[in-house]
Structures are given as C-alpha cells and as structure tokens.
Amino acid sequence: MPQGLKRIYGQSHLHFITFSCYRRMALLGSPDSRDVFAKLLDQVRGRFGFALVGYVVMPEHVHLLAGEPAAHSPSVALQMLKQETSRRMRMRDEVAESLPQFWERRFYDFNVWSQRKKLEKLDYMHMNPVKRGLVSDPQEWPWSSFLFYTRGEHGRIRIDLV
C-alpha cells in the first residue's frame, strides 16, 4: 500500500469510497455504460453481502457509501467490481479496449462513523452531477441514490438503510 494511505476495516463503519476511470477519462460517459456499471455494482454487492447506503456514478469517477462485506474487506469487493466492470466495458467499447487499464489503481476510502458525516457524504454525492453541470437538479441524474432519499424509489440499485 502506498505510504500515507491507511485503510481502517473491522470497525463496523460505513466507507465513503471514491475511484476514478483511467486518467479521469469519461469512460462511463454514456448512459449505457453507467447502466452496465450500476448492474455490476448490484451484482457484486449481492455476491459480497455489503450494505449499499448511497452512490453516484459520474462519467469519470464513482462515489459509494457502503458497509463492509461480511467475509472480505471492502478492498476485495472493490477489486472484484473494478475487474468485472473493466472486463465488460472492454468488450463493449473500442476506446476502453485500447487503454492499458480501465480504472486508476488506487481508491480513496474515508471511514464514516457518525450520522452527521453520513448525511454530509450523501449530500456531496447527490449534488456532484449538479456541481459538474450535468443536470440542474439531482433528481434528474438517475445514476445515484438521490431518489431513494427523497421519494423512497430504489432506482437502478436497491439502497440499504443503515
């Protein structure tokens, strides 16, 4: 692990996780690619059994607010998600196929231990498409958990209350 990067697991915390496409390229720039990612996230969540409390899929990065898997670390689950997505997207996209990798190797992980921090991270995620100018209102971006928290609608991925 790179110097100064410390991951804290086993504390029953939620984790605010951020990871980016290779060189921050918009490899998730199309609605179809974001749908593929959302489907794979839901499958990997089911396989590893972690709670998904919030998410947003952006064109060049992803934010997750998730619990820890029962039998593995979040790092292992994330590795599987990134591998599955890379494999699937490389078969579908010529640009992705030509790159040396689909994702940046590292990811950012912040332990969320309080309700205040949880709400702060959810708000940050849900406002990300608005701040980036992709939509004027977070309810217009279907690749996030926003509608669950405002209308109780699960959208593309089921959200867990934790």
Side-chain angles (χ1 to χ4, degrees):
M1 183 179 310
Q3 186 176 2
L5 186 61
K6 185 175 181 180
R7 307 210 191 282
I8 302 171
Y9 299 146
Q11 304 294 313
S12 299
H13 294 158
L14 292 175
H15 294 266
F16 177 67
I17 297 170
T18 302
F19 51 101
S20 299
C21 295
Y22 181 65
R23 295 188 176 169
R24 301 252 331 159
M25 297 173 70
L27 299 176
L28 299 171
S30 71
D32 184 53
S33 64
R34 289 188 293 274
D35 284 343
V36 167
F37 177 83
K39 183 178 179 180
L40 292 170
L41 171 58
D42 200 35
Q43 290 173 1
V44 169
R45 181 263 297 272
R47 192 177 321 151
F48 281 84
F50 60 86
L52 183 63
V53 177
Y55 73 96
V56 66
V57 183
M58 299 293 288
E60 72 293 319
H61 71 282
V62 175
H63 295 295
L64 305 176
L65 186 57
E68 293 184 16
H72 297 281
S73 73
S75 295
V76 172
L78 186 57
Q79 178 184 20
M80 180 60 66
L81 174 61
K82 289 170 80 173
Q83 285 175 349
E84 292 287 331
T85 304
S86 178
R87 189 174 302 121
R88 182 78 56 89
M89 295 306 293
R90 286 171 171 272
M91 291 188 305
R92 302 168 57 93
D93 185 291
E94 289 180 22
V95 172
E97 184 181 36
S98 70
L99 296 173
Q101 61 199 56
F102 189 87
W103 299 106
E104 288 294 331
R105 296 191 193 285
R106 293 174 49 187
F107 65 95
Y108 174 78
D109 181 356
F110 176 86
N111 286 57
V112 176
W113 57 87
S114 72
Q115 181 69 10
R116 189 178 128 265
K117 274 292 179 196
K118 174 183 163 184
L119 295 175
E120 175 187 306
K121 296 304 182 185
L122 285 169
D123 185 57
Y124 176 84
M125 286 189 294
H126 295 152
M127 292 306 295
N128 208 274
V130 176
K131 286 178 66 176
R132 293 280 310 285
L134 299 171
V135 293
S136 59
D137 189 293
Q139 69 182 345
E140 298 169 358
W141 191 255
W143 301 279
S144 85
S145 52
F146 180 79
L147 290 178
F148 175 78
Y149 288 98
T150 58
R151 295 187 196 160
E153 298 174 13
H154 282 290
R156 284 171 166 70
I157 306 173
R158 180 181 52 81
I159 298 301
D160 300 300
L161 289 175
V162 176

